[in-house]
Amino acid sequence: MMRKFLSVGLIIVLLGCGESPVDYNQYPAKPISIIVPYGPGGTTDVFARAFAKVVIDYLPGNAPIIVVNKPGGSSTIGITALRRAKNDGYTIAMLPTGVLEVQPHLQRVRWTLEDFRPIIGLLDIPAAINVLNNDPLQNFEQWRDATEKAPGTFMYSTSGGVGSSTHIAMQIVQEKLNIKLRWIPFEGEAASRAALLGGKIQGNFSIPNVHKGGELRPLVFVTASKPTSDLYADTPTFVELGFDYEASFPMGVIAAKGTPPQVINMLHDAFKSAMQDPQIEKLYQTYDLAPAYRSPDELDLLLQRNSELARHSLVKLGMIR
Amino acid sequence: MFDVHTLYVLAGHLPAIFLGLFVGIFFGALPGLGMIVGITLLLPLSYNMDAVGAILMLLAVYQGAEYGGSISAIVLKIPGTAMAAPIMIDGVPMAEQYSPGKALGYSLYGSTFGGLFGAIVLVLFAMPIADLALMLGDAEIFLLGLLGLIAVSGLAEATLVKSVIAVVLGLLVGTIGIDLMTGLPRLTMGLPELYDGPNLIAVVVGLFAISEVLSMAAAQINSPQTIDPKNMRTNLSLNEIKHTFRAMLTGSTVGVATGVLPGVGSTISSWIAYAAAKKLGRDQAMFGRGAPEGIVAPDAANNATVGGALLPFLALGIPGSASIAIIAGAFVIHGVQPGPQLMRMDPQFIQDLFIGFIVTTICMFFMGRFLTTLFARALTIPRSILAPTIAALSLCGVYVSSGNFFDLWLAFGLGVATFLLRGLGYPIANFILALILAPIIEESFRRALTISEGSYEIFIGTPTALVLSLTAAGLIVGLTFKFIQKTAAQTRA
């Protein structure tokens, strides 16, 4: 009898071992892949590489974190790769979350927002309605008056293409202001910047750069975040002007659904500590961006809000029913 | 300009420049790998260097890859990059009939001349040219793209019908992907791998490397190569340089001009340069049969593009090509914001960069002379070893560029299709050029009309646009007239 109990007990113990072959006291015991759904050299890639070096110091194991660039498919290919990877915490992704909010509505991908679990929000990418520095329009009110007087003449570009989160944000802005602007799509930031400097279009919706001696002067920030410069202290945000909309373009880290909660917590804590690391603080300064920490639940909530707004706008744009 | 400080700085950067050049030439010459992969490889290293060194190293990769691509075009009949494809038209006949060393020599001298030309334009005229480039709008860019397409369609030796078929196929493949204006996928068959259009590296490897490997296998793969090692020397005599000087100048001018236009893509500069050199050439009958001008012009254009693409970036902060866009990352990470204020506020940095850039080009010449002879020895390798090596290396390159298995199948499928189409006499050059130009032509056309609210007047509204429109119309009328004449002559006979 005793022997039977013992053997059953042993079997249970052994089964238990089979259930969790990964020992998270030593995590990461093998290299963690951090997917970046873009090619190398961009902001996300630079942040991912910098964090990869630092975060490892705040985890118990000592296997490295490797940045894997998976560009293409309007940045859906990298996300699909994360969705397909094992959810054991050894594959995560860092990205601006817009693609998660928009793409599932277009029904071209086999995943939804629910297939992922946010780990942490690292920063909020600022975006303002900009004009050229030498433009006679000095502030938001003047611009609004001008666009009301001549609807559909103010031509602007957004940093993303049709149906991207920046395009959608500007649709909402026009709705809230009850004005009509003309959106001109460009393949990439370079071509649109050239058109703006050449006077072919009048404005854009992206990060202003007069603080770096550039030509883009903001009229109004649609996001709560601004580049860290005193120059923008007096530039109002959309909410400050009394409008009921705040765009938000967070960049964060996500894992596939079903990743063990203790791993999510470990990664979250490590990334959070890394945000205070001098190396990472310097990185934020180089980009003139302020760290914007978000807990997994906070980021999750924000993504769901953005996703709902995106769906609403895509219907209005006639891109989905 | 050459003060002690600058020399001191440069001496410190020479190792980085040589490393960049080596990686650039090597990766540029290997089909499929190319400069983007090379830059990607060195990018992490550059983060830990000082700004000037990091940027010079990455520019050296760019410069080196533009040259390296033509080595394999001449030696293996496989352009390492899409930009090197037109070099084959004359480079291959010259290597086969006369001497591979001579062909490589012309290529190296052309590249060096173009690189220096681009650098000098960059140093002297950065601001005014950048301002000039801004004046060109979508209407003008559309017309330039159209002109490029017409000019190059006339290059092929194939019949007009087959040329047109190849062009139309290229235009069709060029429309694959998510449409910029509507956000709807076109011809993607629901494959996310095609949303951004087919991966150009996979296309080039399929069209040139895989199809060439199949040709090698189809021909006598065990035939021994008979190349006289004496023919490997890459020296050019003063007379030979003099003879091709005009073509080098033409190519360099075209290279800078196309490189300056953001979004037009440096990929087409070598084609336009080839067409221009042919039009201006003394002996047009030699083109396609190993004319030196046909090698130096596209090579000069490719390397002049580097300076050209760098120009709007340094002057205005707008990258002129995809490679400069990646190098832009190195600027940002070192806290350098390109633009007019950089030119004004940090002249020391700009001066170091400019001199370093010129030194890079000169170093490329010597590095090229050393490496080229090594590469040219590939011709003495038996084909039974060469063919599978090329296939394996180029497929590796495709995978490295995107990390997608889909792209391997794409390269393979295109390779088989191209092998068959080549046998039937369809010009591959027309296909790839149309593919590259299709998005530029289509998007700028539709954007011009969006901006003008549907009025076609925008295409003749400015003096530049009017001249370009008239030239295009003239070319089309001329070509049609020639075709009718030819057909009539054939029916009579």
Side-chain angles (χ1 to χ4, degrees):
Chain A
M1 194 65 190
M2 194 63 199
R3 193 177 273 184
K4 217 173 196 175
F5 265 119
L6 258 179
S7 51
V8 168
L10 255 176
I11 286 169
I12 289 171
V13 167
L14 284 172
L15 275 177
C17 291
E19 284 287 282
S20 65
V22 188
D23 177 10
Y24 287 106
N25 291 325
Q26 288 304 311
Y27 176 81
K30 58 177 185 181
I32 302 177
S33 297
I34 180 158
I35 295 174
V36 171
Y38 300 98
T43 308
T44 315
D45 180 64
V46 170
F47 269 79
R49 283 175 200 276
F51 267 103
K53 260 196 279 176
V54 175
V55 163
I56 205 64
D57 297 340
Y58 299 95
L59 288 169
N62 51 11
I65 303 184
I66 296 159
V67 175
V68 181
N69 296 98
K70 285 239 175 237
S74 304
S75 63
T76 61
I77 286 178
I79 297 167
T80 306
L82 174 66
R83 174 79 183 86
R84 284 190 189 147
K86 248 175 134 181
N87 52 6
D88 56 359
Y90 283 99
T91 311
I92 55 176
M94 187 189 286
L95 72 170
T97 55
V99 56
L100 292 174
E101 299 153 9
V102 177
Q103 283 293 338
H105 298 308
L106 302 173
Q107 301 194 332
R108 291 189 207 123
V109 289
R110 294 206 182 92
W111 41 260
T112 65
L113 197 50
E114 278 69 49
D115 288 321
F116 303 101
R117 175 68 186 155
I119 296 173
I120 189 170
L122 299 172
L123 69 94
D124 277 4
I125 300 158
I129 299 173
N130 303 299
V131 290
L132 284 183
N133 203 6
N134 58 13
D135 195 292
L137 295 171
Q138 284 308 315
N139 54 42
F140 171 76
E141 281 74 26
Q142 288 179 7
W143 173 75
R144 192 185 179 181
D145 287 346
T147 51
E148 274 174 348
K149 267 183 212 136
T153 53
F154 184 83
M155 290 188 269
Y156 73 100
S157 69
T158 53
S159 46
V162 61
S164 66
S165 51
T166 47
H167 178 220
I168 284 168
M170 279 304 284
Q171 292 300 315
I172 301 175
V173 166
Q174 290 177 64
E175 237 173 76
K176 300 274 177 196
L177 288 173
N178 200 15
I179 56 169
K180 211 170 162 313
L181 310 173
R182 191 130 52 95
W183 180 64
I184 309 288
F186 283 92
E187 190 78 65
E189 189 90 19
S192 82
R193 193 72 64 84
L196 183 57
L197 288 176
K200 314 289 175 204
I201 59 174
Q202 288 80 46
N204 81 354
F205 181 60
S206 67
I207 307 180
N209 63 10
V210 274
H211 63 291
K212 288 178 179 167
E215 303 289 330
L216 299 179
R217 174 165 55 81
L219 297 169
V220 58
F221 280 93
V222 182
T223 53
S225 64
K226 300 176 181 181
T228 50
S229 161
D230 296 337
L231 263 180
Y232 304 132
D234 295 332
T235 313
T237 67
F238 210 52
V239 172
E240 282 166 13
L241 291 170
F243 297 100
D244 164 35
Y245 174 61
E246 181 186 293
S248 173
F249 308 108
M251 184 165 98
V253 185
I254 59 167
K257 188 180 67 178
T259 304
Q262 71 259 44
V263 182
I264 301 268
N265 285 339
M266 282 165 102
L267 282 169
H268 167 267
D269 295 347
F271 270 97
K272 194 179 175 188
S273 309
M275 283 172 82
Q276 318 284 331
D277 192 282
Q279 280 186 61
I280 298 293
E281 279 181 339
K282 201 179 147 232
L283 180 74
Y284 278 102
Q285 278 163 19
T286 310
Y287 279 82
D288 296 308
L289 293 168
Y293 163 77
R294 276 199 176 84
S295 73
D297 286 337
E298 283 167 354
L299 187 56
D300 201 25
L301 221 64
L302 180 65
L303 292 187
Q304 284 178 23
R305 180 205 83 135
N306 283 353
S307 171
E308 193 42 45
L309 283 172
R311 198 185 60 78
H312 179 77
S313 281
L314 288 170
V315 171
K316 284 212 163 167
L317 282 167
M319 291 181 72
I320 54 168
R321 247 175 265 164
Chain B
M1 213 166 168
F2 278 92
D3 53 30
V4 181
H5 167 81
T6 310
L7 286 178
Y8 174 77
V9 169
L10 273 180
H13 294 321
L14 272 182
I17 289 176
F18 272 109
L19 177 66
L21 281 171
F22 179 78
V23 169
I25 296 177
F26 192 72
F27 278 59
L30 291 176
L33 287 168
M35 83 185 91
I36 307 259
V37 178
I39 288 177
T40 311
L41 191 78
L42 292 186
L43 207 55
L45 191 67
S46 76
Y47 291 162
N48 299 323
M49 298 165 65
D50 72 306
V52 176
I55 291 160
L56 284 179
M57 179 173 75
L58 298 178
L59 283 175
V61 179
Y62 191 1
Q63 190 79 268
E66 289 287 7
Y67 166 61
S70 38
I71 300 179
S72 47
I74 291 169
V75 175
L76 301 172
K77 294 193 226 170
I78 302 168
T81 55
M83 288 70 86
I87 291 151
M88 291 197 302
I89 306 174
D90 281 292
V92 171
M94 183 186 275
E96 278 175 352
Q97 293 157 18
Y98 184 49
S99 141
K102 242 345 164 219
L104 289 167
Y106 278 117
S107 161
L108 180 59
Y109 279 77
S111 291
T112 311
F113 185 88
L116 281 176
F117 187 90
I120 289 166
V121 170
L122 179 68
V123 173
L124 295 181
F125 306 112
M127 282 315 283
I129 290 187
D131 285 337
L132 212 65
L134 284 183
M135 285 168 56
L136 297 183
D138 283 297
E140 287 88 354
I141 288 173
F142 159 72
L143 290 165
L144 281 173
L146 193 66
L147 276 178
L149 199 61
I150 298 170
V152 178
S153 304
L155 284 182
E157 299 281 305
T159 64
L160 187 68
V161 175
K162 282 183 179 174
S163 300
V164 171
I165 289 175
V167 167
V168 170
L169 279 177
L171 290 174
L172 261 180
V173 175
T175 58
I176 293 178
I178 290 183
D179 176 36
L180 180 68
M181 309 274 162
T182 60
L184 296 174
R186 298 189 299 193
L187 307 176
T188 58
M189 297 169 279
L191 297 165
E193 288 87 352
L194 289 174
Y195 283 178
D196 297 339
N199 176 0
L200 193 61
I201 294 176
V203 172
V204 170
V205 162
L207 288 184
F208 296 107
I210 302 296
S211 75
E212 183 60 32
V213 165
L214 291 174
S215 304
M216 283 185 194
Q220 283 220 316
I221 197 157
N222 287 324
S223 66
Q225 299 275 359
T226 45
I227 293 277
D228 190 347
K230 274 184 202 147
N231 279 343
M232 294 292 187
R233 295 181 48 155
T234 54
N235 279 345
L236 286 194
S237 73
L238 200 61
N239 246 340
E240 285 167 326
I241 297 174
K242 249 194 222 157
H243 181 72
T244 51
F245 182 76
R246 208 162 63 166
M248 287 191 200
L249 203 62
T250 314
S252 306
T253 316
V254 170
V256 172
T258 44
V260 164
L261 295 176
V264 171
S266 45
T267 19
I268 58 168
S269 67
S270 54
W271 295 95
I272 298 177
Y274 184 86
K278 190 178 174 183
K279 273 271 170 298
L280 300 173
R282 289 188 191 86
D283 187 5
Q284 291 200 15
M286 267 303 284
F287 278 83
R289 299 199 180 87
E293 293 99 320
I295 301 173
V296 293
D299 249 317
N302 276 340
N303 283 81
T305 307
V306 181
L310 198 58
L311 194 150
F313 181 61
L314 286 179
L316 306 167
I318 301 167
S321 71
S323 312
I324 294 288
I326 296 181
I327 296 174
F331 278 77
V332 178
I333 201 79
H334 288 102
V336 182
Q337 177 73 24
Q341 73 291 346
L342 176 68
M343 310 278 268
R344 276 195 307 270
M345 277 144 65
D346 202 349
Q348 187 63 55
F349 174 83
I350 289 288
Q351 185 185 321
D352 290 351
L353 197 65
F354 281 172
I355 293 172
F357 188 57
I358 294 173
V359 170
T360 303
T361 314
I362 297 166
C363 291
M364 182 185 78
F365 180 76
F366 293 104
M367 188 109 184
R369 293 203 58 165
F370 170 70
L371 279 183
T372 303
T373 12
L374 274 182
F375 270 106
R377 288 194 189 281
L379 277 178
T380 58
I381 298 172
R383 286 182 168 182
S384 48
I385 296 170
L386 195 59
T389 312
I390 293 171
L393 273 178
S394 52
L395 287 176
C396 282
V398 171
Y399 187 71
V400 169
S401 77
S402 68
N404 266 331
F405 277 110
F406 174 84
D407 288 344
L408 295 179
W409 289 110
L410 181 69
F412 191 70
L414 279 174
V416 174
T418 311
F419 173 65
L420 298 174
L421 287 175
R422 260 190 1 185
L424 296 170
Y426 287 90
I428 302 307
N430 291 20
F431 174 81
I432 182 124
L433 190 82
L435 186 158
I436 293 167
L437 279 174
I440 298 171
I441 293 178
E442 190 205 344
E443 278 164 19
S444 54
F445 179 71
R446 288 166 74 189
R447 190 158 43 230
L449 286 179
T450 312
I451 288 175
S452 74
E453 291 185 281
S455 160
Y456 284 86
E457 230 183 85
I458 193 167
F459 296 110
I460 47 170
T462 65
T464 328
L466 186 65
V467 170
L468 290 173
S469 284
L470 288 175
T471 320
L475 273 175
I476 292 173
V477 170
L479 275 177
T480 320
F481 187 68
K482 228 164 139 188
F483 180 67
I484 293 171
Q485 233 178 5
K486 211 169 154 189
T487 330
Q490 272 168 357
T491 24
R492 244 180 280 129

